[in-house]
Amino acid sequence: MKKLILAIALCLTSLVVLESCSPKTTTGAPAVRRGNVTGNWMLNNITFEGIPDVAVRSFLGESSYKCFVGSSWRLTNSGNGSYSLPSSASCGAKTQNIFWSVSTADETFQFKKLYEGEKAKNVTEGYRLVLSSANDNTMTIKSPIEYGGKVAYVVMNFVKATN
């Protein structure tokens, strides 16, 4: 009986070792990492998937998605950051402090707006966006929106800032 238990244990151990050494399968696209997102970015344009632009009334707590076009985003490795909205005919210039993170497990970019004197751990509301891609030069983040009983996206296309 002891030999049977020992043989079973040896087989299970061998399976675990073989499984840990086997190549991992991927979807073909490399996972987006936090390091790909860290840095200074400029949101150069916004597009839409599954929703007309006129249906988007407000965006990320601002009066219009148009306020974000041309905005600069500073995302430090510590998770602290900010975005600066440019002044335009319909939007005033504004700088907003944020605390951000990336979840590689579900490929999301999350951030919380921080106001004077607030600590990120005390802020319970924020935004969870789909991190489509990020590399040394470009980044695409999608904001899911319910539209017509389906999920549609406001797509933010960033380029790495030169400063």
Side-chain angles (χ1 to χ4, degrees), residues 60-62 72 83-87 91-96 113 115:
L60 300 177
E62 298 297 328
S72 58
Y83 63 79
S84 296
L85 305 179
S87 180
C91 307
K94 174 182 179 178
T95 298
Q96 176 65 59
K113 292 182 178 183
Y115 297 98

Side-chain angles (χ1 to χ4, degrees), residues 31 33 36-37 40-41 50 56 60 68 81 85 88 95-96 104 108-109 114 123 140 145 157 162:
R33 298 179 333 230
N36 297 118
V37 176
N40 295 319
W41 297 92
V56 180
L60 300 177
F68 284 91
L85 305 179
S88 69
T95 298
Q96 176 65 59
T104 55
T108 57
F109 173 83
L114 300 178
V123 178
T140 303
I145 295 177
N157 299 295
T162 56

